[in-house]
Amino acid sequence: MDIRETTADEFIMGNNAAFKTIYEATRGMLYAVIYRMTGNAEDAEDLLHDVYVRAYEKRHQFKKGKAALSTWLYSIAVNHTLNVLKQKKRWDNVVFDPAFEISMLEKLTEQDDHNLVNTVLTRMNPDYRVCVILKDVEDKPYEEIAELLQIPVGTVRSRLNRGRAQLQTLFQNADNALSRGELHTTKGGM
Amino acid sequence: MDYNSFISQLKAEPDHPAPEIWARINATIHTPEPQRIRFLDFISYFKWIPAAAAGAALSFFIALSVFQDNEKTAYERYLNDTNYIYLACAYK
């Protein structure tokens, strides 16, 4: 995404018009990645607000020669969202939590794909989730993901593999349960 | 749903953020710093109180133990002295 160098300079000087130009140019990209990571529009809007406020406060730390302004904003968005998701700690036992599997099976039978995606996302380990989203959804190269998250490339690869395996197991378990007709039995037991 | 359709669902472009987000950002950045309530700053300021209290308590107990050691030594010296006097008296 191209942001003119003069606009970036004016933003660093604290010019509000330049900041709004940058906001208009980057909000879609940042909102998309935050929304994909959170799976929730309200949380994504709150986080987007925090990201731009943080970027404005830390604008003097932006080094022009190192990366583009849009890349710098993107890294703030990804890391801030990841930190917030880690604080929530609601993702554990994604594969083996019976209550989660029931809610997933309900979404599968209702053919409600959008809610199913959000249900799955909100229960995934954020470290795996961010790697799956950046690689498989945003199509970022391994090196860029490693630089964004400030972790080694090998760690990105292992987290991505674990995330993919976790999701595949999850969907396979749900399909098996559906084919065995366990949904009604489980729901009856509730 | 399988993994590939899950990724396809995620790839679908979400709607843009609500227009009032910019107004919120603008209001926040133009609010003077002291007026903003920063809970974490508040907590981080007060976290020094237990640390200072623990430090003061540790210093107090160290000073007390040194003082008690000195006292004990003086008392022992007194006991020794009196014992020597008793021994001297008994010897005589």
Side-chain angles (χ1 to χ4, degrees):
Chain A
M1 184 161 299
D2 284 340
I3 295 169
R4 286 189 307 153
E5 201 171 322
T6 48
T7 313
D9 288 339
E10 285 168 5
F11 163 67
I12 294 166
M13 301 273 282
N15 184 318
N16 204 40
F19 186 35
K20 189 171 184 186
T21 308
I22 289 164
Y23 170 79
E24 295 292 345
T26 54
R27 66 176 178 166
M29 173 185 74
L30 299 192
Y31 180 72
V33 72
I34 296 171
Y35 181 84
R36 283 164 184 158
M37 285 173 74
T38 56
N40 178 317
E42 282 179 20
D43 287 350
E45 288 184 347
D46 285 345
L47 286 167
L48 187 73
H49 163 269
D50 294 348
V51 165
Y52 279 102
V53 170
R54 192 169 280 233
Y56 186 81
E57 286 174 347
K58 297 186 175 209
R59 63 191 185 277
H60 297 292
Q61 292 176 16
F62 169 65
K63 293 182 180 71
K64 277 196 291 185
K66 202 177 171 189
L69 184 61
S70 55
T71 312
W72 182 69
L73 289 170
Y74 191 86
S75 77
I76 294 176
V78 168
N79 286 301
H80 180 63
T81 310
L82 186 60
N83 289 339
V84 170
L85 291 174
K86 280 179 178 177
Q87 284 166 12
K88 285 189 175 177
K89 292 182 179 172
R90 289 187 309 186
W91 63 89
D92 51 353
N93 288 329
V94 63
V95 180
F96 304 107
D97 181 0
F100 172 64
E101 289 203 354
I102 290 164
S103 71
M104 191 176 156
L105 288 169
E106 284 171 355
K107 300 281 178 353
L108 272 173
T109 49
E110 288 162 10
Q111 302 288 314
D112 190 353
D113 285 350
H114 179 72
N115 279 335
L116 174 64
V117 168
N118 291 347
T119 310
V120 171
L121 271 180
T122 52
R123 296 302 297 262
M124 255 187 102
N125 182 326
D127 283 328
Y128 302 163
R129 193 190 317 181
V130 69
C131 290
V132 168
I133 287 168
L134 292 178
K135 181 67 191 155
D136 289 347
V137 182
E138 303 262 322
D139 294 323
K140 301 274 181 202
Y142 285 109
E143 290 74 18
E144 195 177 330
I145 299 170
E147 201 179 322
L148 272 171
L149 302 176
Q150 296 181 339
I151 53 174
V153 176
T155 310
V156 175
R157 286 179 193 274
S158 68
R159 284 183 186 176
L160 183 66
N161 287 337
R162 283 179 198 163
R164 283 172 178 166
Q166 200 175 46
L167 282 168
Q168 273 164 355
T169 313
L170 195 70
F171 289 122
Q172 203 170 3
N173 287 353
D175 280 344
N176 291 344
L178 265 182
S179 62
R180 290 194 305 267
E182 281 179 8
L183 176 61
H184 300 292
T185 319
T186 329
K187 279 178 92 175
M190 290 279 289
Chain B
M1 182 180 266
D2 61 0
Y3 183 79
N4 290 333
S5 47
F6 173 76
I7 294 297
S8 305
Q9 278 281 326
L10 273 177
K11 276 188 176 177
E13 197 66 31
D15 293 334
H16 280 286
E20 62 265 21
I21 298 294
W22 170 250
R24 274 176 59 195
I25 295 167
N26 212 17
T28 310
I29 62 170
H30 289 106
T31 305
E33 190 74 22
Q35 287 180 23
R36 286 195 221 163
I37 299 167
R38 288 174 169 268
F39 185 67
L40 284 175
D41 287 355
F42 182 76
I43 294 294
S44 65
Y45 176 74
F46 282 104
K47 79 184 173 192
W48 292 105
I49 290 175
L58 189 66
S59 309
F60 174 75
F61 284 114
I62 290 169
L64 191 68
S65 65
V66 169
F67 176 73
Q68 280 178 334
D69 278 353
N70 288 342
E71 282 294 293
K72 198 176 172 184
T73 313
Y75 181 63
E76 281 174 350
R77 201 180 298 126
Y78 163 75
L79 280 181
N80 284 340
D81 290 349
T82 49
N83 283 341
Y84 288 135
I85 291 165
Y86 289 139
L87 283 171
C89 291
Y91 183 74
K92 275 186 178 180

